[in-house]
Amino acid sequence: MSWLLALPIAIPFLTAVATFLTRDMPVGRWLSIIGSAILLAASIVLMNTVLREGVIAGQMGGWAAPFGITLVADLLSAVMVLITAIVAVAVSIYALADVDEKMERLGYHALFNMLIAGVVGAFVTGDLFNLYVWFEVMLIASFGLLVLGGRPEQIDGGVKYVALNLVSTIMFLTGIGLLYGMTGTLNMADLASAVDTADQQLLTVVAVLFMIAFGVKAAVFPLFFWLPASYHTPAFSVSAVFAGLLTKVGVYALLRMFTLVFDHDTAFTHTILLWVAGFTMVVGVLGAAAQSDMRKILSFHIVSQIGYMILGLALLTPLAIVGAVFYLVHHIVVKANLFLIAGVAQRIAGGTELSRIGGLYKSAPFLAVLFVIPAFSLAGFPPLSGFWAKFLLVKATLEIEAWFIAFIALAVGLLTIYSMTKIWAQAFWEPHPDGVEPKLSKLSTRERNAFLIPIAGLAILTVIIGTMPEPFVQFAERSAAQLLDPTPYITAVLGEQP
Amino acid sequence: MSEIIAGSLIILGGVFALIGALGLVRMPDVLIRMHASTKIGTLSTGLILAGCAVVFGTPDIIIRVVAIVLFILLTAPIGAHMMGRSVVSTGVPLWKNEETEKDNLDEMLIKDHPATD
Amino acid sequence: MNSVILRAGTSYLAGLLLVFSVYMMLRGHNEPGGGFIGGLTGATGFVLYAIGCSVGEARKALRVLPQTIAIWGLFIALAAGLFAAVFGDALFTGQWLFIGETEDDKGLPLSSVLVFDIGVYLVVFGSVLTLVFAMEEEI
Amino acid sequence: MNTFGLNVMLAVAWVAFTGTVSLSSLIVGFVIGYAALWLIQPLIGASTYHRRVYAWLKLIVMFHYELIVSSLAVAADVLTPKHRARPAIIEMPLDVKSDAGILLVTNLISLTPGTLSLDVSEDRKTLLIHAMFADDHDALRKSLKDGMERWVIDAVEGA
Amino acid sequence: MDGFLELSLEIGFLCVVVSVGLAFIRMVKGPSLQDRVVALDFMTVAIVAFCGLAAVRYNTAAFLDVALVLALVGFLATVALARFAERNTFRNREETHNE
Amino acid sequence: MEVLFAITIGVLVAASVYLMLSNHLLRFIFGLVLISNAANLTIFVAGRLTDGAPPLIPVGADAPEIAANALPQALVLTAIVIGFGLFAFAIVLVFRAWTSLNSLTPDEMRLAEPEEAHK
Amino acid sequence: MADGAATDARGNGITGVIPILFAGALFVYFMSLVPTVASLEAIRWSVPWIPSLGIEFAFLVDGLSLTFCLLIAGIGTLVLLYSNTYLAGHPQYARFALFLTAFMVSMLGLVLADDLILLFVFWELTTLTSYMLIGFSHEAEKSRRNALQALFVTGAGGLAFLAGLILLAAASGTTSISGIIAQGDGLKAHAMYLPILILLLAGTFTKSAQVPFHFWLPNAMAAPTPVSAFLHSATMVKAGVYVMARMHPAMSGTDVWLWTLTILGAITAVFASLLSLRQTDLKQALAYTTLMALGTLTLFLGQESGYAMTAFATFLIVHSLYKAALFLIVGCIDKSTGTRETDQLGGLGRLMPITAIAAALAATSMAGFPPFLGFIGKELKYAGAIAVASEPIFVAGAVLLSNALMLAVAGVVAFRPFWRGQVGTGQSPKEAPWQMLAGPVILAILGALFGIYPDLLQVALVNPTVLSLTGEVEEAKELQLWAGVNIPLFLSIATFVLGLAIYAAHVKIRAMLDRGFNAIPNLDLKWDGFLDGLKALAAWQTRLVQTGKLSSYLFATFFTIAAGIILTLAYTGMPPLAADFSDVEWKHTSIAALICAGALLTLFTSSRIAAIAALGVVGIGIALIFIVFSAPDVAITQLLVETLIVVLVAVVMLRLPSLPKATFNLKHAVLSVAVGASITLMLIEVVATPLDLRLTEYFEVTSWPEAYGRNIVNVILVDFRALDTFGEIAVVVIAALSAYALLRTTRKGDQQ
Ligand code: NA
Ligand code: NA
């Protein structure tokens, strides 16, 4: 078990080492793809095992929980690892055409793989401090990737990104210190029961501190500023990974901690989350409406969509958690893909600023098709993945008669449509202002393949989730059941409790 | 007996530390302050560590104390030299330095290490 | 930095710090020290070298790119963890070999844990130097 | 000091660190010291190494004597309300040649309260000293040259 | 532990702590960059002494290891700052004096 | 004792927050160093303070008789090193901000989010 | 005006033919189902789709759905045939045919779906495909705008619709439509009936462009004419009507249902007829008459009587036939003359005789003259109106007025261009090719055919449809040209008189209407304002929140932290502070004071060196804490790191300018103190509780015996928690690589 859990972390690290040592050679990029593929294989095995055997845990160093560090995978963790691997494969292929040699020599592949390692680590760890460590791995790698290339706007975005994320990191660390000081343990499964004997009032306060720390990572209102300030600046491969994965780690952490550990005063904590969700959705989507750059629009939409996931957590009904889990998976696939597409648009049409480009529908119809799928999935059109995600959440809100938040969720959906059609109308339909014909044939065959294969792959995944949602819904249901009743999780980590 | 010696060494070291710090506060210019702080400070640390060695009295402690003192003796003057040099080369105003042999000073300090940009 | 004194001091101190850093690393399992402290101390030696002489000379002395050292360190640390697989243990399970073990003396211990600490040492050493050298050169 | 001597020094340092005086410890120290020297090789110029135990002992004793005596002088100046210091920056021609010698001379001068080595000229011929009690520059210069520098040259360069 | 030793340790601690406080005053007052760095340097050395005292006070040799490391690397900060002072002056003459 | 250092931590945090808010990157860095220290100290203090008993096992014993809480120490050590890594990147970023944007005032940096984007 | 269509002899090849064959095959298939349905049977087919949500992939063929299917597939075939010529050689014809076919299939799916969610899937697919079709001339700003408008309005309705469907499913416990209908009247009594109804109607009214959501429909005429013919005659706009009809058995019969549908339907019918008369563009005029038809259909769906239902079923077919025909004819006119303006058209009858005849047939059906189906439809409408139990006069009046207006419009659209005097257009119009004529002619002839042989319809479609609507086939009334002298006949005659009068005076009336309508707020004009408002709101909000200034971001973040903690403390009720200073030694206090002093010096100094030195002091102070409280390893690390920090800052500062004067900012100060205080408060509370030392005790007793290390901290680092350490060194490596990359990516001199 322990190997199954450790390999998804070890593989990207080994890949990083290999790519770094070969960074002056052209094999680095292929190593990166191979490494991601192996990671994918490992995560499929992991997923398969979790599906078959339920929650699995491995004690690192062979030290029993809660003394050593436990890696643990329930369905949520497993699917997050799997989806991370999928995105990693897609982006490392995409990088063949997107990342130039200069960036490669500066260690792009190593940073990328370490970022993936950090993300995976955060998903499979069962230890709070270890979670902090993986957050940092991820964070520092993202710092590097964000500014790689060193264009002035990258630096500007980087300053904001770094500053605000550092604040969050420190708060997280402080929170860990306080929680340890209250309970004497760091193992999350152990914490679940240890908090029961702690001072409940104080626990609520610490919970809020964690909520804020993770809230920054997840980019919720009013802590999301770093995201729209920076996500449009780095290389497209980079922003695709960021858009797909990074905020989701924050959401994952919230989901985990606020179902497993901080479930003592949900009337308070989850009500806050509900408000946060509402504001996040609205502010994000309005932010997007105010933008005129493709990547900026997409960035603000990340914020908005995070609101939906938080909404699922806030409602805390089985169906709502199902929705949140489904949303999480759907959004990673779709949002990463949209950023990848933006990269192709930039390459062939000459930019991402909507008023400066156009003609993609006429000249690059295949790209248009590939755009429509994730874009309308994001907007929640059936039968694409986003529809089911939204459907589940709206159903969950309506079931508990939370009319207002349901209205918000739906209205935000409408504004999402507005934004997606804005991109569609201005970048695809509208003729190019300079009369350029942005054809895909401008790209070399190698570039075209590297760009379009991952995009098409993710688009197909979106369609598959959308048209055959049953296994995914079932999966999300099982996953939600595990989150809402963490007994198997705790048992897997700590063994049978008296 | 050894504790009396150790105690005395420690008190002496403490007093020197205090004197060094006092010098740091009240001496008139930065170079003179350095005389007080760097060296009296070193001495005081040496005394206190000597006291320490006396208390423990075991070889490994003594060796360690000797090593510490040696390290300080090796590093502190280098630091002091660097600071002193920068005082002169950057032209920090000094107290009563009219007797300084200026003939060689400018060439030596400023010309020798021009700005490295 | 053209200080004759500093240069002269550096030639001794750098070596001293390097030896000292290995010492700090090796004793770390039983007394204060360990990979971090060792690595930081060792790096300090070369930082001094870079300041006292020049980055170029320090790089020449190091022979290997510091970032390569760091990456190898990471690999060694990971390998030390993965090594447990050979014995079917969980990742990062310490593997010990006591050379000349007797009833009351464990002899000379060789362990994957020590290898791990060496990895830590190299990472810290290499990383700090990567950073400092690059900064010195760029600024 | 030649490379071998330096290596022995490092080996001894190693023994000091480990606190276990034994042959094996010395050998380990030697090996590690060797490795370290290999790394810093470009720094170590060729120089001959002659043991001068007597000179070293003399140097150590005299240095401590100077340290204590002049520390008291500085301390007195610190503690008395009126500053008696007559500071000045003076030059001293250097006869000592080797890196080790220069380092030792300058460090010892600096460690002696009342004098502070500011810099050595690029041609290594002149030492710039800040003196606290520089009533008579030449006397001071002479005492340093005949004292500290002489002892160091005897100990290090074996002239 | 002997009463005298304990007393002398307390005195030693007091002296060291007060001297660090005095050095802090110099650090605040400056006026030159070097004054501040010298104050910091002094503190570093004082901490070595503090470690020695702590080793005796708590009967733990481990604190000497702290002193050992500090004795070796403490001056690095001083060197770096001194170099900063020099180079910075050449880069920007008017600035350093205001520091 | 813990309370005393809790207050100290509060002062550190307050100072660093003020520095971070000062709209100057160098001050932000200073604040970052302070607040990292404060966070480390928080873990240390939350693990409770014991004086004069480092968590070292004397030779010949199997366990220390009395020792300070070792776990927070290990955590703090880790956090210090991580904090150093973050700091190192941050300071380089500040340097780069100065060389490529010619400013240390983040509010003046309007390349990623230019003013005209808010028409 | 000709939709940018380029007639090209090369045609569209296989991409043109396949869709036609496909649609034709579908039509034939649905025709084959007529006998089954005519025998009043329904066909249901289903497979599980999302069993965990109870959603099925279920289809139902009954009278209602088959009627729609035949209209959709039949008109679809003709429209595709027409389009293949109309847009021959258009570079994007393949896309056009794809979208049109996709739309057709979606529409078929919509009317066949027997699952609420499945229905919604197709519902949204029609929205999406119609968006693509309306925006087909995508290089024109107007097309894009109108496509967005249609999408936005129907999309908004669609979301309400979705909410309604979810509630409906929840209320009835199933998503199966036939299942819901089988539950009978239960739904009407359900507490959620009203919200469900409102939400569903929001969806259908927007989709069917009922007043006041009608404004998008005429704009959607930006689409090529065949699209208009298809979407806005038989299909998309009728999707809303379809859903109301489908839910009729389960939801009708309540007062809300009755009055909402009746009143809004009537208003739409009259209002749209007036609007239609006002138009000078043929397509626009037709578009508004579509609205009128939709209003009328809605109005009938409000009722329950068999007459109303029969009228609904009949008029549904009538309208689809003549409206599609007329749209296609307008396309022919447009294509051959280059204009659709009534004032510029005339005398086409001789030049385009076949077109003219088809137009005449369709128009007379539209006008409701015998012996066309339109007449029967009209008669039934009056019968249905009179059968309205509560307010027959109101309903009949509305129907009369709208019918008269319709007659006038029929004249304007289909009579004047052909039969009034020649108006020079500069072109020489000629007959369209047969592919384009086939549609109008067939549809027009069908209108006449069904008028003469109404039984065909009665048995095949009307009766089954009424069965679907009411559950009882007996409710279906007879379709007959001559029903005897009755009130509907008088009303018909009144309609003719009034209609002809209006036609005669329509130019004057048009001017009057212009004045009148200008006084009414026009939502289409408001649309741009709405979008601008939305953008302004978005921009305002974004300016407020995403200021681009790090200082405000940081302020907000710290504010959230302070407010979060303090308010939560207030909410939970803070336990009394247990400040225990008894074991504090002077050393501790001194160290604390030193740290605080260092922190404050950093804060207040404007000297960089003082700040760095002060940081050093803080670092030293913290190292002292580690020393005093037994953490030598941590102390060493702290001191080493502190030293390196100073070194790095000293290196970097060589290139940085000096600090500006520290200024005092009260707001920041208050916030800082609040954050600091909240951390302190939490920590004080935490340390007041006992700490569980299980972990530490375990480490203490296992460190040496099991992990062979005497330095417990180090053993934790390299063994117990080695994974942490591994992650941590990874951080260090990455930090170094990142910083290295950052330093190297832009060289000096890249400065701006
Ligand atoms: Na719990
Ligand atoms: Na455009």
Side-chain angles (χ1 to χ4, degrees), chain E residues 41-61:
Chain E
D41 192 46
F42 179 83
M43 285 186 193
T44 311
V45 178
I47 301 310
V48 175
F50 190 96
C51 291
L53 292 172
V56 179
R57 168 76 174 72
Y58 302 119
N59 193 27
T60 312

Side-chain angles (χ1 to χ4, degrees), chain G residues 135-369:
Chain G
F136 183 68
S137 310
H138 56 86
E139 300 205 332
E141 165 78 42
K142 194 161 159 268
S143 284
R144 296 196 298 272
R145 171 193 182 270
N146 293 343
L148 175 65
Q149 192 184 50
L151 180 70
F152 203 86
V153 176
T154 52
L159 291 170
F161 189 56
L162 174 63
L165 292 179
I166 292 172
L167 288 176
L168 176 55
S172 40
T174 175
T175 58
S176 161
I177 297 173
S178 42
I180 293 169
I181 289 167
Q183 288 176 358
D185 288 347
L187 189 60
K188 292 170 206 167
H190 196 277
M192 296 307 291
Y193 173 77
L194 186 61
I196 292 171
L197 180 63
I198 292 171
L199 290 167
L200 290 187
L201 290 185
T204 59
F205 274 44
T206 45
K207 192 90 167 177
S208 292
Q210 307 278 300
V211 173
F213 305 112
H214 62 283
F215 58 94
W216 67 266
L217 183 60
N219 290 335
M221 297 301 135
T225 299
V227 172
S228 310
F230 196 41
L231 270 62
H232 308 130
S233 61
T235 54
M236 187 173 85
V237 290
K238 290 217 178 89
V241 171
Y242 166 77
V243 169
M244 285 188 268
R246 184 48 89 197
M247 297 318 297
H248 192 268
M251 300 190 75
S252 72
T254 61
D255 280 355
V256 191
W257 175 276
L258 171 68
W259 289 114
T260 313
L261 266 64
T262 306
I263 293 172
L264 287 176
I267 291 174
T268 303
V270 175
F271 191 73
S273 317
L274 291 171
L275 276 171
S276 172
L277 190 65
R278 190 186 160 210
Q279 304 306 316
T280 57
D281 182 302
L282 294 178
K283 223 167 125 180
Q284 295 288 2
L286 285 176
Y288 282 111
T289 63
T290 301
L291 281 185
M292 173 269 168
L294 297 173
T296 311
L297 288 169
T298 306
L299 187 153
F300 286 122
L301 282 176
Q303 325 305 321
E304 283 194 288
S305 72
Y307 274 110
M309 294 305 105
T310 313
F312 168 83
T314 314
F315 186 56
L316 179 72
I317 300 166
V318 174
H319 173 252
S320 299
L321 295 178
Y322 75 68
K323 188 53 60 67
L326 287 176
F327 264 119
L328 296 177
I329 287 164
V330 167
C332 292
I333 296 174
D334 190 5
K335 192 101 179 172
S336 68
T337 64
T339 181
R340 296 193 307 245
E341 283 296 311
T342 50
D343 295 341
Q344 295 172 23
L345 292 167
L348 295 175
R350 271 173 297 116
L351 299 168
M352 307 168 69
I354 303 174
T355 315
I357 291 165
L361 291 174
T364 32
S365 183
M366 175 175 172
F369 284 107

Side-chain angles (χ1 to χ4, degrees), chain D residues 38-69:
Chain D
W38 176 75
L39 280 175
I40 61 164
Q41 208 177 15
L43 276 171
I44 301 159
S47 69
T48 54
Y49 173 68
H50 307 283
R51 292 187 73 90
R52 291 267 173 227
V53 180
Y54 168 75
W56 273 104
L57 282 177
K58 183 179 169 193
L59 174 67
I60 291 166
V61 171
M62 292 313 291
F63 163 71
H64 282 102
Y65 170 77
E66 290 278 329
L67 177 65
I68 291 164
V69 167

Side-chain angles (χ1 to χ4, degrees), chain A residues 192 195-196 260-261 263:
Chain A
V195 292
D196 294 343
L260 182 63
V261 178
D263 58 351

Side-chain angles (χ1 to χ4, degrees), chain A residues 353-359 423 425-428 430-433, chain G residues 144:
Chain A
E353 175 64 41
L354 292 176
S355 62
R356 309 272 294 278
I357 60 172
I423 297 177
Q426 294 190 31
F428 285 82
E430 193 176 58
H432 198 289
Chain G
R144 296 196 298 272

